Each structure stands twice: as structure tokens, then as C-alpha cells.
Amino acid sequence: NAGVTQTPKFRVLKTGQSMTLLCAQDMNHEYMYWYRQDPGMGLRLIHYSVGEGTTAKGEVPDGYNVSRLKKQNFLLGLESAAPSQTSVYFCASSHPRAGKNEQFFGPGTRLTVL
Amino acid sequence: AQSVTQPDIHITVSEGASLELRCNYSYGATPYLFWYVQSPGQGLQLLLKYFSGDTLVQGIKGFEAEFKRSQSSFNLRKPSVHWSDAAEYFCAVGPSKINQGGKLIFGQGTELSVKP
């Protein structure tokens, strides 16, 4: 099993450009999450999904959109990138077995917006 | 408000010394608690978790944590630190009920440096 994978690993954008980050998991998990990590702020939840076709806002959703068309994939989109979106983005997944929501993380995508 | 506080942003310990990383949480319901470790340039790896039962839980790499409900704390410990333990450590709290989306709240992280 590959676990949680993220594409791409690195990306540099110019202000105003758009891009999509792809997260894939092969563990048949119901729940998937997108976080951003900034120095001194820990991980902050951007959006999450509790199942195929459903998404919900997290703590810092502005400027991002997501889609979960297939259970194994969770896409994060930036329609018009801004320098404030320079960050490391992590995807995670979990399965709500008896409420034990241990999350499994991908390796991250380092995004720089110039 | 739900929150997790890791009071120590950066800790330096000597190799072979003991380690304790502090974590305090504020959560309205019975929480599940986690410690994750992040090596430079890597994703997060689960060290250990507490769901219920024995309040002292054992994890990987020789780490353990103790849940103290009265103090709302879940401190991470290791008796003897190795140079490879240098990393950033995150405490997290999440819901114990299935229908709450499994969202975790993370602390700000504690960066651990190990002196030879």
C-alpha cells in the first residue's frame, strides 16, 4: 500500500495563477482532509470530506476549493493564488471505525507564490 | 473554545537525557488524543494515541504519554533521547464520536534539538 500520496511535491506560482493539488489514498478511508502548515502555527484545517461527493469548510477555507468525486481522491484548488498562500500543504485520511479517527498523512506539497 | 497548547516552542536536550514535551488541551467533550512527529521535509507520523482505558500509553520509538484528565494534559515522555529524535512534535485532539467528521485540532508544535 502506498498510503497517502500527494502531487506535486513542489510548485512555484505567480500571483493570480491557478493550480490543483491532488491527494490520493489507497486505504479505503471515508474521511479526507487538507491542511496547511505555517511556521509557529501548527496545522490548520482548510477543507475536509466525510465521503465521496461531500465536502465541508475547515478553519481557513478562504481562497481554496475542493472536490471529492472519487472516494480515493481529494483535490485542493487555488483559483487565484496569493503570496499569503505560500505554505506547505498536507493531505490526510482516516476511517471512522468506532470513532477512532487516527489520521494518516501524505508527504506534503511545498507551494511558493511569488 | 477548543484548543491545544504546546507551551514550549523549542527544546534542546542532550543525547541520553530524558525528555518531556507538554501538551494541554481545551475540549468540550471526551477527546481522543494523539502525538505526531515530523522529521524535516517529511509528513507527520503517528507516535501514539489515547482513546480510553489505561492513562499511560506506549508508542513507537520508545515514547510514552500520560493522560491526566484533571489537568487536561497529555504530556509526551522518553527516558533517553537519541540524536534521531530531533524533529518537530505535534499534539492533537479530536472527537470521540463517529459523526463529527474526525477533525483534529493541532498544537503549534515543539521543535526538539538534540545535543551530542
Side-chain angles (χ1 to χ4, degrees):
Chain A
N1 287 350
V4 180
T5 58
Q6 293 183 232
T7 309
K9 288 185 170 53
F10 302 93
R11 186 71 185 268
V12 178
L13 291 178
K14 294 181 179 178
T15 297
Q17 288 184 318
S18 63
M19 78 163 294
T20 301
L21 282 66
L22 171 64
C23 175
Q25 53 94 5
D26 61 1
M27 297 174 283
N28 200 34
H29 284 173
E30 291 294 328
Y31 294 174
M32 295 187 74
Y33 312 85
W34 275 109
Y35 294 92
R36 60 177 290 171
Q37 183 180 28
D38 302 292
M41 304 191 74
L43 276 76
R44 292 182 292 168
L45 184 64
I46 304 171
H47 286 281
Y48 66 102
S49 168
V50 297
E52 182 178 317
T54 71
T55 63
K57 294 180 180 180
E59 180 186 358
V60 288
D62 294 343
Y64 305 95
N65 56 75
V66 289
S67 65
R68 185 127 180 245
L69 300 180
K70 294 183 179 181
K71 184 177 184 178
Q72 63 267 34
N73 295 338
F74 195 29
L75 278 64
L76 177 71
L78 287 73
E79 291 186 346
S80 179
S84 60
Q85 294 178 304
T86 294
S87 187
V88 181
Y89 291 86
F90 287 99
C91 176
S93 70
S94 71
H95 188 82
R97 280 189 298 268
K100 291 179 171 56
N101 296 304
E102 173 187 343
Q103 293 187 13
F104 295 82
F105 283 82
T109 295
R110 185 173 296 274
L111 174 66
T112 301
V113 182
L114 302 176
Chain B
Q2 299 173 342
S3 65
V4 176
T5 301
Q6 294 179 242
D8 305 304
I9 296 173
H10 190 190
I11 284 181
T12 299
V13 299
S14 298
E15 191 167 15
S18 64
L19 170 70
E20 182 171 30
L21 301 182
R22 296 181 290 164
C23 173
N24 294 96
Y25 67 90
S26 173
Y27 203 76
T30 301
Y32 286 160
L33 295 154
F34 306 86
W35 274 100
Y36 285 87
V37 61
Q38 183 182 31
S39 297
Q42 304 295 315
L44 276 73
Q45 180 184 20
L46 183 70
L47 275 178
L48 48 77
K49 56 197 175 189
Y50 173 78
F51 295 139
S52 63
D54 192 349
T55 57
L56 186 63
V57 293
Q58 303 297 320
I60 63 172
K61 305 184 180 185
F63 284 91
E64 65 178 26
E66 186 171 13
F67 171 56
K68 293 185 177 179
R69 185 185 301 276
S70 61
Q71 298 178 19
S72 297
S73 69
F74 189 55
N75 294 349
L76 181 71
R77 301 194 293 250
K78 187 170 184 177
S80 178
V81 170
H82 187 264
W83 64 266
S84 60
D85 293 325
E88 190 155 21
Y89 293 80
F90 292 94
C91 180
V93 62
S96 56
K97 295 184 177 180
I98 295 176
N99 62 347
Q100 294 183 349
K103 294 177 289 181
L104 296 183
I105 300 169
F106 285 85
Q108 303 93 322
T110 297
E111 184 176 355
L112 173 65
S113 297
V114 181
K115 292 190 299 186

